[in-house]
Amino acid sequence: MFNAGKRTTSTPLKHAPAEVQLHSTAPYPHRLNFYDVPPLFDVTLEEFESAALARLRILAEIESSFVRNRSYDELKSVTDAQCKKYLTLNANSASTQDLQGERRRDHVGHFVLRLAFCRSEELRRRFVKAEMMLFRVRWDTDDTREREGFLESRDFDWTPVDDKEKEAYKEELMAVPSNIRTQYSEGQFKKDKYHKVRWTRVPDLVEKRRVFLKGGWAYVHERESSSMVFQEFQINLEKALDMTAKALPRLDEDTRLIPILDNLSQGFLAGVPSEWLSSSSSGAEGSGVKAEEIDDLAKKHFPMCMRNLHESLMRDRHLKHMGRLQYGLFLKVLGVSIDEAIAFWRRSFSNITDDKFNKEYRYNIRHSYGLEGRRANYPAKSCQQILMQDQPGSAESHGCPYRHFSEDNLQSALLASYSAHGFTASDLPEIMHTVRAGHYHVACTRVFEITHARSGVKKGEGVGGGESITHPNQYAARSRELEKARQEKAESDRDAMLVDG
């Protein structure tokens, strides 16, 4: 779909009209979009990736909501909050906002993700399901007049039911059950409008018996029109994904786009790292975590992956290279300074001499802090990187326990690690069901909720606002925040009691 230049990509279908490129007219008159036409303008590689990541954050959280059996109201609330954070899409009434810029970003992100998720039937199915829900949330939160304007702008091929036909089937139409109306008078019936479509276009309404069927036609009340719109959106998107899949091999020659698409297509497996890391890690180093404090922090605040690495290190007095890298970068972002890191690793490797430690390990520790070699400031590994890269061997401790442990070992590890924090055997079936379905970061998030229930975390809340765990440091940081808040509240309550006394 995209033909990349040095710093930009553009669609090869045809040249964009000058008025679209210059934005002298409004190319996006509506907040809702069926995405019939691909982007007809130049797109930088930065925009190509950032727009897709922003949208993928929303879709990944929607899929997490499916796995966690959230109600539609809960899902809508979480999705709306995520959209406001990552992919704002204001109504036309928000005249002071950059509406065209917002809708362009939404448009580009959708089409990039089509490229990423058209590669297999399973990815296409998951993409369509998440996109359908995003469209539904936007439909339900859209302004009524703008929604009607969107409907008028498209030809949905609905046949209006005239008064004569409506009168002929009055008894049947008035008998149709609906969760919209509790009382239905004949006067109201005369005011209402109906459309008829082939029943195959509204299978959900047929299943719920909320339409009248006659001769292969479904007579749909105007207030049920959303069902027809959603079905049309799904059909169009499924067809478009099939077409994109057939055209995708032509992109194989572009070595810049394929790695981006490969990375995006993994987003449903581990979620997308939130912007938390970029805003938090830069100030983490040197924040005061001492070497002697790490063991206590591991028992209280570490996710399963880092807790496993810590326990393996304490038991074996050694970690192999990938384990040291994964754990060392985590500690760095946690707030362990370079001096404290060297002290921690030297004390942990107690079975070797100072000379061996200095020759074989000290340089690598300094290198991870950007003090040797290329002097790069290496970030800690996200859940996606831990899940997808450098799979652990039989004698290695890195990786994600939810994916790389056997079921028996995972259950034993969870009980051993988190029983003191309220995790019990009765919680295991829910966690293992999620693990078997391949939603590893959702399982980790649920463990976080269970083990932090004493701090007021409720089921479905995640690390805040319903957001799932997508980074080990995100887990640890939120856990420490909750403990700090609980301690401050306890101190405040004690002070209040002393004053009252």
Side-chain angles (χ1 to χ4, degrees):
M1 173 183 144
F2 291 97
N3 178 23
K6 185 175 182 180
R7 299 289 295 175
T8 66
T9 86
S10 59
T11 56
L13 300 179
K14 57 183 177 179
H15 296 293
E19 64 270 17
V20 173
Q21 291 183 348
L22 298 176
H23 297 282
S24 59
T25 61
Y28 304 111
H30 307 289
R31 180 172 176 261
L32 298 171
N33 194 340
F34 261 42
Y35 309 101
D36 301 299
V37 182
L40 300 177
F41 42 76
D42 289 340
V43 178
T44 65
L45 286 171
E46 289 81 2
E47 183 181 9
F48 182 93
E49 185 170 16
S50 67
L53 279 172
R55 191 179 195 88
L56 185 55
R57 286 190 174 99
I58 313 299
L59 300 186
E61 200 57 57
I62 288 174
E63 178 159 277
S64 294
S65 294
F66 293 149
V67 177
R68 300 169 76 175
N69 294 316
R70 284 178 173 143
S71 68
Y72 175 67
D73 287 340
E74 291 173 329
L75 184 150
K76 183 168 70 170
S77 177
V78 169
T79 303
D80 193 46
Q82 291 287 95
C83 286
K84 289 177 180 176
K85 186 175 181 180
Y86 297 117
L87 196 63
T88 305
L89 209 60
N90 283 294
N92 289 337
S93 57
S95 56
T96 60
Q97 303 298 319
D98 180 17
L99 299 181
Q100 294 307 305
E102 292 174 357
R103 295 171 188 184
R104 168 191 167 111
R105 180 175 170 83
D106 175 75
H107 190 202
V108 170
H110 172 87
F111 273 91
V112 175
L113 292 186
R114 274 194 194 180
L115 292 173
F117 288 99
C118 71
R119 301 172 167 204
S120 71
E121 184 176 346
E122 173 66 12
L123 285 176
R124 291 195 292 271
R125 182 190 62 78
R126 294 168 73 173
F127 179 66
V128 168
K129 186 177 180 182
E131 279 282 347
M132 271 283 295
M133 185 55 67
L134 176 59
F135 184 85
R136 181 182 173 186
V137 168
R138 287 176 171 173
W139 172 275
D140 287 345
T141 57
D142 205 15
D143 179 86
T144 302
R145 287 177 297 178
E146 293 189 28
R147 190 164 55 204
E148 290 174 353
F150 170 73
L151 290 177
E152 292 172 359
S153 71
R154 299 187 60 86
D155 180 12
F156 287 99
D157 192 26
W158 303 341
T159 304
V161 178
D162 58 30
D163 292 340
K164 182 179 179 180
E165 189 174 11
K166 191 169 75 168
E167 186 64 26
Y169 299 121
K170 180 175 73 172
E171 184 177 343
E172 291 86 347
L173 292 173
M174 291 186 67
V176 172
S178 173
N179 63 4
I180 296 174
R181 53 184 182 266
T182 55
Q183 295 181 343
Y184 199 31
S185 65
E186 186 169 338
Q188 182 62 47
F189 173 76
K190 291 180 179 180
K191 296 178 183 178
D192 287 346
K193 296 179 181 179
Y194 288 83
H195 294 90
K196 62 179 182 179
V197 296
R198 287 298 178 185
W199 71 270
T200 53
R201 293 179 60 181
V202 285
D204 57 329
L205 294 182
V206 173
E207 180 184 11
K208 297 172 184 176
R209 299 186 178 184
R210 287 168 59 183
V211 291
F212 167 56
L213 297 178
K214 181 70 174 179
W217 293 95
Y219 288 73
V220 184
H221 192 280
E222 61 181 343
R223 283 173 293 190
E224 305 280 11
S225 60
S226 60
S227 181
M228 295 189 289
V229 176
F230 300 156
Q231 183 72 7
E232 194 77 10
F233 181 89
Q234 178 176 341
I235 292 171
N236 286 0
L237 183 54
E238 288 172 344
K239 290 179 179 178
L241 283 170
D242 289 339
M243 292 176 62
T244 305
K246 294 175 183 176
L248 189 65
R250 286 181 285 174
L251 274 178
D252 289 344
E253 298 176 0
D254 197 319
T255 57
R256 291 164 300 173
L257 300 188
I258 295 301
I260 295 175
L261 298 177
D262 288 340
N263 185 57
L264 291 170
S265 65
Q266 298 169 5
F268 279 155
L269 176 65
V272 183
S274 69
E275 294 179 343
W276 168 86
L277 184 62
S278 60
S279 62
S280 303
S281 62
S282 58
E285 294 176 49
S287 64
V289 175
K290 303 297 183 182
E292 59 268 21
E293 297 172 341
I294 294 175
D295 189 62
D296 186 54
L297 289 174
K299 294 173 182 176
K300 291 181 178 179
H301 304 298
F302 285 10
M304 194 69 231
C305 54
M306 298 306 162
R307 186 152 183 157
N308 175 59
L309 284 166
H310 181 81
E311 291 173 356
S312 297
L313 177 60
M314 295 300 101
R315 181 187 65 243
D316 302 332
R317 292 297 165 185
H318 188 265
L319 282 178
K320 291 197 172 183
H321 173 72
M322 293 309 303
R324 296 197 305 273
L325 181 63
Q326 182 175 320
Y327 193 39
L329 292 174
F330 168 82
L331 293 176
K332 171 189 169 184
V333 174
L334 186 71
V336 179
S337 68
I338 178 61
D339 292 336
E340 293 295 329
I342 291 174
F344 169 75
W345 287 104
R346 178 65 195 98
R347 187 166 58 197
S348 299
F349 284 13
S350 58
N351 294 338
I352 64 174
T353 64
D354 286 343
D355 184 57
K356 181 177 177 66
F357 178 82
N358 289 332
K359 286 182 178 179
E360 298 184 17
Y361 302 105
R362 188 185 185 93
Y363 175 89
N364 287 336
I365 297 169
R366 289 177 53 80
H367 189 278
S368 67
Y369 276 75
L371 300 175
E372 301 288 354
R374 294 191 300 142
R375 300 184 180 273
N377 185 22
Y378 297 99
K381 291 184 178 294
S382 67
C383 293
Q384 187 179 98
Q385 291 171 313
I386 291 171
L387 283 165
M388 302 304 298
Q389 300 174 3
D390 304 309
Q391 304 301 294
S394 57
E396 295 179 303
S397 302
H398 66 281
C400 172
Y402 297 98
R403 183 178 189 184
H404 299 124
F405 278 21
S406 68
E407 289 195 9
D408 289 343
N409 286 345
L410 176 58
Q411 293 181 74
S412 298
L414 286 170
L415 290 172
S417 299
Y418 296 117
S419 291
H421 301 281
F423 190 93
T424 66
S426 64
D427 297 310
L428 287 173
E430 179 185 2
I431 301 302
M432 298 312 299
H433 173 75
T434 308
V435 168
R436 293 184 192 110
H439 299 285
Y440 309 109
H441 69 299
V442 177
C444 184
T445 303
R446 183 66 188 119
V447 169
F448 178 91
E449 292 170 346
I450 294 169
T451 56
H452 291 81
R454 298 169 184 173
S455 297
V457 177
K458 298 181 177 62
K459 183 175 182 178
E461 187 176 334
V463 287
E467 188 170 339
S468 300
I469 302 291
T470 56
H471 200 289
N473 286 98
Q474 181 190 27
Y475 185 114
R478 181 58 179 154
S479 180
R480 295 175 72 189
E481 287 173 4
L482 290 168
E483 181 186 50
K484 182 180 179 181
R486 189 172 65 250
Q487 291 174 346
E488 290 175 349
K489 185 178 185 304
E491 291 175 4
S492 177
D493 291 345
R494 282 197 299 268
D495 292 343
M497 290 177 63
L498 291 173
V499 172
D500 293 340

